[in-house]
Amino acid sequence: MSEHLTTAPGARRGDAVRILVADDHTLLREALCDLLRSEPDFEVVAQAGNGEDAVRLAAEHRPDVVLLDVEMPRNDPPMTVRRLLERDPGLRIIVLSMYDGQQLVQELLRLGVSGYLHKSTGRETLVSAVRDGDGGGGRTVTVSVSPASLRPEPAPGAGAEVLSERETEVLELVAQAMSNRQIAARLGIAEGTIKRHLRNVFAKLDAVSRIDAVNKAVERRLIPAPVRRPDTPFGRAPHRGF
């Protein structure tokens, strides 16, 4: 984990918008910080490389805004958002991520994040989202994601079996008999995030186990059929849970 602190904890610089940037990709995080520092009214007060450090540094430095990536180590996005807002209800959290799955976007918006931006969004949108709401006058929410992320969630049996790109990727690795830890290492994301994706998959497919989810996805041609071997978990009794 890498931190770059530009001020003493809790210190303020005039009317600057104080920002904590949380992203586990060091080069991307530092590039984002450079972009933010180019704005005369922005001040980056801390950087975090995982969810736990984001919560700790937010309590220590009391930023106005947290830019939060969802796919970091030691980070369950809904829990991190809850912990941040419990400690500071006035904190503005802007999620900035490559992942904009429908269920997660809508859940985090319900929890009270001030924005959810896909990382393909432009500089102007990001700067506006960070600056919006700084003058008070109510909560401003900025959303820049794929249209599918904002559609009403489908009722069971009404197309709920459609998996996101990331959910499909996770389930294909499950079909290869990989554990949650192995999948997390392969994809470079937290094990808790894998469990969240699998919860979504189970709900969408009405599945009761990993094998059940794989079988139903194969039947519906959502993933290719796995090559099964007698010595793999998919040749033995079903494993229930995530």
Side-chain angles (χ1 to χ4, degrees), residues 1-237:
M1 191 278 295
S2 173
E3 300 173 16
H4 177 79
L5 308 181
T6 58
T7 69
R12 290 193 173 272
R13 189 190 72 194
D15 296 325
V17 180
R18 295 165 48 80
I19 306 164
L20 185 155
V21 179
D23 193 310
D24 64 323
H25 292 92
T26 304
L27 290 177
L28 293 178
R29 186 177 68 241
E30 292 179 351
L32 177 59
C33 290
D34 288 342
L35 182 154
L36 295 169
R37 293 189 189 103
S38 69
E39 297 294 321
D41 56 336
F42 288 176
E43 180 182 6
V44 177
V45 297
Q47 297 182 38
N50 61 65
E52 291 179 2
D53 284 340
V55 174
R56 176 179 62 81
L57 289 169
E60 182 179 350
H61 292 272
R62 304 195 305 277
D64 302 305
V65 177
V66 171
L67 290 181
L68 181 69
D69 183 25
V70 297
E71 297 191 85
M72 295 187 295
R74 303 203 296 277
N75 180 49
D76 177 76
M79 181 60 68
T80 298
V81 168
R82 288 191 187 96
R83 291 174 66 192
L84 287 168
L85 292 178
E86 283 172 359
R87 297 189 180 200
D88 184 358
L91 179 66
R92 290 188 291 123
I93 302 172
I94 299 173
V95 176
L96 187 62
S97 179
M98 289 299 295
Y99 178 76
D100 64 351
Q102 178 190 40
Q103 188 165 345
L104 180 63
V105 171
Q106 296 187 10
E107 180 178 8
L108 294 186
L109 289 173
R110 285 193 296 268
L111 287 175
V113 301
S114 297
Y116 199 118
L117 309 180
H118 193 272
K119 284 186 176 179
S120 63
T121 194
R123 173 190 178 123
E124 184 176 341
T125 300
L126 172 62
V127 169
S128 177
V130 172
R131 191 172 282 129
D132 278 350
D134 186 51
R139 178 180 174 226
T140 299
V141 179
T142 304
V143 180
S144 178
V145 294
S146 62
S149 300
L150 300 178
R151 293 175 189 150
E153 294 184 18
E161 72 278 4
V162 177
L163 304 180
S164 71
E165 182 177 349
R166 180 64 93 183
E167 289 163 356
T168 300
E169 189 175 19
V170 169
L171 193 56
E172 287 177 346
L173 295 176
V174 168
Q176 297 176 27
M178 295 179 65
S179 68
N180 290 347
R181 179 173 296 181
Q182 290 171 327
I183 296 171
R186 170 74 67 85
L187 300 180
I189 58 181
E191 188 173 348
T193 303
I194 300 301
K195 293 180 179 180
R196 173 171 53 77
H197 288 315
L198 287 176
R199 284 195 295 269
N200 294 344
V201 169
F202 278 32
K204 290 180 178 181
L205 300 182
D206 192 26
V208 296
S209 70
R210 294 161 72 95
I211 294 178
D212 190 31
V214 169
N215 288 340
K216 288 181 175 179
V218 170
E219 289 171 3
R220 299 173 194 183
R221 299 184 179 180
L222 300 177
I223 65 172
V227 177
R228 302 184 182 222
R229 300 190 306 269
D231 59 339
T232 67
F234 285 94
R236 299 199 295 265

